[in-house]
């Protein structure tokens, strides 16, 4: 990847970056629709990947940011599902041991919504949602979401409905940063999501938090984090 300095992020999907080696300024794709709290301050170091696809309007994609010295954060939300799939297949999510991935982007019954994964173990089915986490606050705590997300709250209600229908359901927080030890819902940012998550847990939804080791070469699912429903 190529290193640069963030000039600004705007229109959710765009950012202007100045390359560290040449000083050239380019507009890049920002693959994160959230507020990116603490991860989009002008002047921070960022790393970009390049695509040779001629149909792409913006060849560079923002992948990593260094919001504090020595702390790398993966901001590409599209990477989180692959990271969780790798962890599942490597046995790092022991509560889901025995399950195999049956389908990605699986449609929920009688709904237009889709689950990130549908898992299977014989006759058992487990619907799984993955949430990418980039925001952190004091005391080594990561939080989700970093902005109000009606869609994320809806996902919690769908998972709860599958539990009530007799299936299993799981939520995995994929934390693409190393400077945290626990994850909790950001109830002060989105109380509706926190409420929907609490109701999903009461319905039987399993909540897991996965920590990663982030470098400019790779993002590796390495450790389990605590989940603190109370924050």
């Amino acid at each position: 990847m190529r290193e640069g300095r963030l000039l600004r992020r705007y229109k959710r999907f765009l950012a202007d970056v100045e390359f560290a080696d040449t000083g050239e300024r380019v507009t890049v794709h920002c693959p994160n629709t959230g507020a990116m709290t603490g991860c989009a301050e002008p002047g921070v170091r960022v790393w970009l990947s390049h695509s040779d696809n001629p149909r792409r309007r913006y060849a560079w994609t923002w992948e990593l940011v260094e919001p504090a010295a020595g702390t790398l954060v993966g901001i590409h939300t599209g990477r989180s599902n692959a990271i969780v799939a790798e962890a599942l297949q490597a046995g790092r999510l022991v509560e889901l041991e025995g399950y195999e991935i049956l389908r990605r982007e699986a449609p929920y019954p009688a709904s237009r919504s889709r689950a990130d994964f549908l898992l299977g173990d014989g006759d058992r089915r487990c619907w799984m949602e993955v949430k990418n986490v980039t925001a952190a606050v004091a005391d080594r705590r990561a939080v989700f979401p970093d902005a109000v997300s009606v869609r994320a709250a809806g996902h919690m209600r769908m998972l709860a409905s599958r539990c009530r229908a007799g299936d299993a359901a799981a939520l995995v927080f994929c934390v693409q940063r190393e400077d945290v030890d626990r994850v909790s819902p950001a109830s002060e940012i989105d109380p509706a999501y926190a409420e929907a998550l609490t109701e999903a847990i009461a319905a039987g939804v399993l909540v897991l938090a996965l920590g990663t080791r982030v470098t400019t070469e790779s993002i590796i699912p390495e450790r389990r984090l605590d989940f603190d429903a109370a924050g």
Side-chain angles (χ1 to χ4, degrees):
M1 289 189 292
R2 193 167 175 183
E3 182 184 337
R5 180 176 64 90
L6 180 65
L7 300 177
R8 63 169 182 153
R9 182 221 181 181
Y10 55 103
K11 295 182 180 179
R12 297 176 68 190
F13 296 105
L14 299 177
D16 290 339
V17 172
E18 180 181 272
F19 286 126
D21 51 357
T22 65
E24 177 190 1
R25 297 186 176 189
V26 294
T27 298
V28 308
H29 172 59
C30 176
N32 190 311
T33 61
M36 291 179 60
T37 304
C39 293
E41 298 301 320
V44 294
R45 297 169 71 193
V46 298
W47 283 262
L48 314 174
S49 62
H50 185 269
S51 172
D52 293 324
N53 185 344
R55 293 183 295 177
R56 282 190 49 159
R57 183 174 181 181
Y58 303 103
W60 293 95
T61 297
W62 183 2
E63 299 281 354
L64 304 177
V65 62
E66 186 182 50
T71 298
L72 292 179
V73 179
I75 64 97
H76 196 318
T77 57
R79 306 287 183 208
S80 53
N81 281 13
I83 293 168
V84 170
E86 180 180 331
L88 180 67
Q89 292 162 352
R92 295 192 180 277
L93 302 175
V94 294
E95 294 88 344
L96 298 175
E97 187 174 1
Y99 282 105
E100 296 182 354
I101 298 173
L102 298 180
R103 184 171 177 178
R104 301 176 189 235
E105 295 296 318
Y108 286 109
S111 171
R112 294 183 179 180
S113 297
R114 294 176 179 267
D116 289 317
F117 293 95
L118 175 59
L119 311 179
D121 180 11
D123 294 331
R124 297 187 300 167
R125 296 194 305 174
C126 179
W127 302 80
M128 187 167 74
E129 294 284 353
V130 175
K131 297 303 178 189
N132 187 69
V133 182
T134 59
V137 293
D139 301 323
R140 296 183 63 84
R141 179 168 69 100
V143 295
F144 181 90
D146 63 359
V148 173
S149 178
V150 175
R151 184 169 180 266
H155 288 160
M156 296 306 96
R157 288 189 285 271
M158 291 304 302
L159 290 180
S161 72
R162 296 322 305 154
C163 285
R164 297 188 187 103
D167 288 339
L171 167 66
V172 180
F173 290 111
C174 180
V175 184
Q176 292 194 56
R177 57 190 302 161
E178 297 181 57
D179 60 340
V180 297
D181 298 317
R182 58 194 176 105
V183 180
S184 63
S187 55
E188 66 281 7
I189 296 174
D190 191 348
Y193 173 80
E195 181 179 355
L197 176 56
T198 298
E199 293 174 356
I201 294 171
V205 176
L206 174 68
V207 180
L208 306 173
L210 179 67
T212 59
R213 177 160 53 89
V214 183
T215 73
T216 56
E217 302 295 328
S218 61
I219 300 176
I220 300 173
E222 191 173 67
R223 63 194 177 106
R224 293 289 300 278
L225 306 179
D226 294 330
F227 171 69
D228 183 1

